[in-house]
Amino acid sequence: MKYDPRAIEKKWQKYWKEKGTFRSVIDKSKPKYYVLDMFPYPSGAGLHVGHVTGYTGTDILARYKRQRGFNVLHPMGWDSFGLPAEQYAIRTGTHPSVTTKINIETYRRQLESLGFSYDWDREIATSDPSYYKWTQWIFTKLFEKGLAYEAEINVNFCPALGTVLANEEVENGKSKEGGFPVERRPLRQWVLRITSYADRLLADLDLLDWPDHLKKLQTNWIGRSEGASVSFVEQATSAPIVVFTTRPDTLFGVTFLVLAPEHPLVDQIATMDQRDEVEEYKKTTAAKTDLDRTDLAKEKTGVWTGDFAINPINGKKVPIWIADYVLMGYGTGAVMGVPADDERDAEFAKLYKLEILPAYSDFLEGLSLEAAKRTAIAWLEKHAKGQRMVQYKLRDWLFSRQRYWGEPIPILHFADGTMRALELDELPLTPPSLEDFKPAASGESPLAKVNDWVEVVDPVSGKLAVRETNTMPQWAGSCWYYLRYGCVELHVLDILRHIMDQSMGQFQSLQTFFLDYFVGKDHIVESIQETAAPTDGIGAPGFFPIKRAHEHLIKAKRISAKFFDDLIRRNAIEL
């Protein structure tokens, strides 16, 4: 009999669908196994081979585990909110809800034709109100705990796209989406206080069976550094200029300070002779992304402000410069230059003919490196010139987008400056229906022009209020989707309440929500931080007692013998 793959595969795919062969149900008599793919953004182009790469591997594993007697959860869904979907809708002249629905249907049809063993009863889409109701609810809990806050921050802003972009969304000073120019601009933003959980994120890496190189990427992403904060004093105004250093023992070798061009002190201290040059440099820097500015291979540039500061350890005057390699969003926005002990500082000093002095003195002579650091910090603390400090490369995450196609942020603003998060029975907060949802170059969200949606009377207090008009970023919905897949048998809130009460016996314990195997692609580091940040945040004591949910992880780049060898090794598969 001739094998006809189209006929045979259609027959069995139809059977699987009708019989619910791959449906997952709670069964305490079997060990559970949760295998997950990074879910796709449903673009108009449909699936590409990169999707199939990872999906094939996880499907093999899911089928194998079922045959071995495991109760397997293997779901699929759609990362359907965000900038790409909105831009596609603008290009095609259709509403994003329409294009998203069509694209999802295309993706589902293509995946079903491949015969993957997904439990389609658990299908989710981040743009579905029944889903983002809970995304909004999670945000309100972060807000209540002080883990979501507002601040004016220098951001990557694209006037053509009308929104803030993450560093990863910018390349060579242009947006990856459309290739439009990007500039630095101060804007009011919502931010998640992920830095409060930096040590926990690091510690939890030891609990995970991940490839070593991914653990290293995570560690470097967090970037924990121990050192000291040191207060220099600007000579004209006596304003403190605080720097962080991992080498307080080298303070004697400081011959200059460098501020970020955006540092609030720059405009105050720039002398008349240097002001034009300083302003021009600031303008040039504003057109660069943080990644461009911190590229180690780029040529070093800077401008002297004309001002000086006093070194707290020896009383010497040092010139204050600005340079684009110093970022206002990292540390204090100021660094000290020790050209005798630092290669980058040496390059800068030689380029601008700055003084180079020995980095050490008799004060620390004969001490080991660690002892010299401790002695220097003790001196700073004794004389109120600084203190011991831990700093992280990781920064709090921008959580605002000035777009239409995203989760509305469920916050009311009052005239006296106070705010109220919406209650659960007020969610989901859905966006108004707009015909013109194109962004404004001013930095305002399209929602801001819908007055009858923005201006409301608060039903709780009876006071006039204004809705938040920024929306959430695309990763807001994708940061917790692995939890949502488990919320089918019961109401989501019931499950979350059980988690909060730590009474999860009926759900096979908290382990139900832990991923046993997760396969992702190139932006895996960011994706893991996205899921870790909110769940660690709501994992604060008394709320959500889980740690990292991604126990086993593979970054899938191509289908290869090594890829499947890793699958076999990690799961003890007998062939």
Side-chain angles (χ1 to χ4, degrees):
M1 178 180 175
K2 183 180 178 181
Y3 176 66
D4 183 353
R6 291 182 181 274
I8 294 294
E9 290 179 14
K10 279 187 176 181
K11 170 188 172 181
W12 287 107
Q13 288 166 13
K14 182 174 182 290
Y15 176 88
W16 294 335
K17 191 171 185 177
E18 290 175 349
K19 300 296 183 181
T21 303
F22 307 119
R23 185 178 298 124
S24 303
V25 295
I26 293 175
D27 185 350
K28 292 184 181 180
S29 68
K30 296 180 180 181
K32 72 95 186 173
Y33 198 83
Y34 187 175
V35 56
L36 182 68
D37 299 290
M38 187 185 296
F39 67 173
Y41 147 65
S43 70
L47 286 176
H48 56 71
V49 72
H51 292 116
V52 181
T53 300
Y55 299 167
T56 300
T58 53
D59 194 63
I60 290 171
L61 182 59
R63 289 173 180 272
Y64 171 79
K65 287 293 185 179
R66 289 191 190 94
Q67 294 298 316
R68 299 287 291 184
F70 284 78
N71 185 22
V72 174
L73 173 58
H74 187 36
M76 178 51 69
W78 320 108
D79 193 7
S80 50
F81 256 150
L83 181 60
E86 187 167 330
Q87 283 303 109
Y88 179 79
I90 290 172
R91 287 195 300 269
T92 57
T94 51
H95 196 276
S97 63
V98 175
T99 56
T100 298
K101 184 175 183 291
I102 293 171
N103 294 344
I104 285 175
E105 290 171 352
T106 299
Y107 269 63
R108 188 190 305 111
R109 173 179 52 79
Q110 291 174 324
L111 286 172
E112 287 179 338
S113 72
L114 290 166
F116 291 137
S117 58
Y118 295 126
D119 179 359
W120 286 107
D121 288 350
R122 296 175 185 265
E123 179 185 6
I124 59 173
T126 59
S127 57
D128 188 322
S130 66
Y131 182 94
Y132 69 74
K133 167 182 181 176
W134 300 103
T135 306
Q136 292 172 330
W137 181 80
I138 290 172
F139 178 85
T140 67
K141 297 306 164 186
L142 294 174
F143 174 76
E144 289 169 7
K145 289 180 173 289
L147 298 174
Y149 64 96
E150 275 193 305
E152 185 168 281
I153 298 176
N154 277 301
V155 295
N156 301 318
F157 186 79
C158 178
L161 294 176
T163 193
V164 169
L165 299 175
N167 286 331
E168 295 76 20
E169 297 172 311
V170 181
E171 191 171 53
N172 299 322
K174 295 183 177 180
S175 63
K176 288 184 179 179
E177 177 69 33
F180 301 110
V182 173
E183 62 187 42
R184 298 290 287 178
R185 181 186 293 189
L187 285 177
R188 178 185 64 84
Q189 298 289 294
W190 281 95
V191 188
L192 292 190
R193 206 181 300 275
I194 183 177
T195 50
S196 295
Y197 293 86
D199 282 330
R200 176 170 166 177
L201 291 171
L202 273 175
D204 288 354
L205 287 173
D206 294 335
L207 306 175
L208 305 177
D209 178 20
W210 290 4
D212 288 341
H213 73 281
L214 282 180
K215 285 190 176 185
K216 186 175 181 180
L217 284 173
Q218 288 271 290
T219 300
N220 292 341
W221 184 278
I222 296 166
R224 187 179 193 274
S225 300
E226 296 184 7
S229 63
V230 183
S231 292
F232 289 73
V233 176
E234 190 273 322
Q235 69 167 5
T237 64
S238 297
I241 299 177
V242 179
V243 305
F244 171 82
T245 177
T246 58
R247 295 294 306 277
D249 56 307
T250 65
L251 273 165
F252 293 94
V254 175
T255 60
F256 60 96
L257 291 184
V258 183
L259 306 185
E262 308 91 346
H263 196 290
L265 201 57
V266 171
D267 289 340
Q268 299 177 41
I269 66 175
T271 63
M272 292 300 296
D273 291 343
Q274 292 295 113
R275 185 154 296 169
D276 288 346
E277 194 173 354
V278 166
E279 287 301 319
E280 183 61 31
Y281 190 83
K282 286 172 62 178
K283 183 178 178 181
T284 301
T285 302
K288 300 178 181 179
T289 68
D290 288 356
L291 293 177
D292 293 333
R293 289 169 59 175
T294 55
D295 184 355
L296 294 177
K298 80 175 187 68
E299 181 183 353
K300 304 295 182 292
T301 63
V303 171
W304 182 37
T305 64
D307 196 16
F308 294 87
I310 307 301
N311 186 333
I313 207 162
N314 58 17
K316 290 188 176 181
K317 287 199 313 182
V318 295
I320 305 172
W321 286 64
I322 61 172
D324 60 4
Y325 68 81
V326 181
L327 305 178
M328 194 61 223
Y330 177 58
T332 65
V335 300
M336 62 187 206
V338 188
D341 194 66
D342 183 273
E343 184 177 344
R344 182 188 62 184
D345 293 347
E347 290 179 16
F348 195 86
K350 290 173 183 176
L351 180 64
Y352 293 106
K353 297 181 173 56
L354 300 174
E355 189 176 14
I356 299 177
L357 296 175
Y360 309 100
S361 76
D362 295 343
F363 171 51
L364 302 173
E365 186 176 355
L367 298 178
S368 67
L369 175 59
E370 291 305 316
K373 289 180 182 179
R374 289 195 299 270
T375 302
I377 292 173
W379 187 94
L380 290 167
E381 291 180 334
K382 179 180 178 180
H383 294 86
K385 304 293 186 181
Q387 60 184 0
R388 187 180 305 277
M389 183 179 178
V390 175
Q391 182 170 280
Y392 301 91
K393 181 180 177 183
L394 183 70
R395 284 171 273 172
D396 287 345
W397 276 14
L398 292 181
F399 200 71
S400 301
R401 296 295 184 267
Q402 295 68 44
R403 303 292 297 209
Y404 172 70
W405 192 238
E407 301 91 342
I409 294 177
I411 294 290
L412 293 178
H413 297 267
F414 300 104
D416 61 3
T418 59
M419 293 178 277
R420 180 177 79 82
L422 299 187
E423 298 294 336
L424 178 59
D425 60 6
E426 298 175 280
L427 301 176
L429 173 61
T430 58
S433 180
L434 287 181
E435 294 295 328
D436 178 15
F437 48 85
K438 292 181 180 179
S442 64
E444 277 196 314
S445 163
L447 298 178
K449 60 189 175 185
V450 189
N451 291 334
D452 59 354
W453 184 86
V454 174
E455 299 172 1
V456 297
V457 175
D458 176 25
V460 174
S461 66
K463 296 190 296 186
L464 293 177
V466 174
R467 293 194 194 278
E468 174 61 52
T469 56
N470 282 338
T471 54
M472 299 186 195
Q474 184 171 356
W475 60 266
S478 63
C479 73
W480 72 284
Y481 68 108
Y482 67 96
L483 290 172
R484 185 66 180 89
Y485 283 131
C487 302
V488 169
E489 289 82 4
L490 292 177
H491 196 279
V492 183
L493 184 59
D494 290 334
I495 290 183
L496 294 175
R497 280 176 175 159
H498 278 288
I499 293 174
M500 286 184 254
D501 295 338
Q502 302 189 37
S503 56
M504 289 293 294
Q506 62 179 305
F507 303 114
Q508 296 178 280
S509 85
L510 286 173
Q511 293 291 329
T512 300
F513 294 92
F514 280 33
L515 304 182
D516 295 287
Y517 217 80
F518 180 47
V519 173
K521 288 286 288 178
D522 293 332
H523 55 292
I524 192 71
V525 175
E526 295 92 327
S527 297
I528 296 300
Q529 291 292 5
E530 288 164 9
T531 55
T535 53
D536 270 13
I538 56 179
F543 185 69
F544 207 160
I546 67 171
K547 294 190 177 181
R548 291 293 186 97
H550 307 73
E551 185 176 351
H552 302 291
L553 176 83
I554 278 186
K555 178 180 177 181
K557 290 189 76 70
R558 59 183 177 276
I559 298 176
S560 66
K562 185 178 184 305
F563 175 83
F564 287 107
D565 180 66
D566 199 27
L567 275 176
I568 292 167
R569 178 183 62 78
R570 287 169 175 266
N571 292 278
I573 295 176
E574 299 173 5
L575 299 178

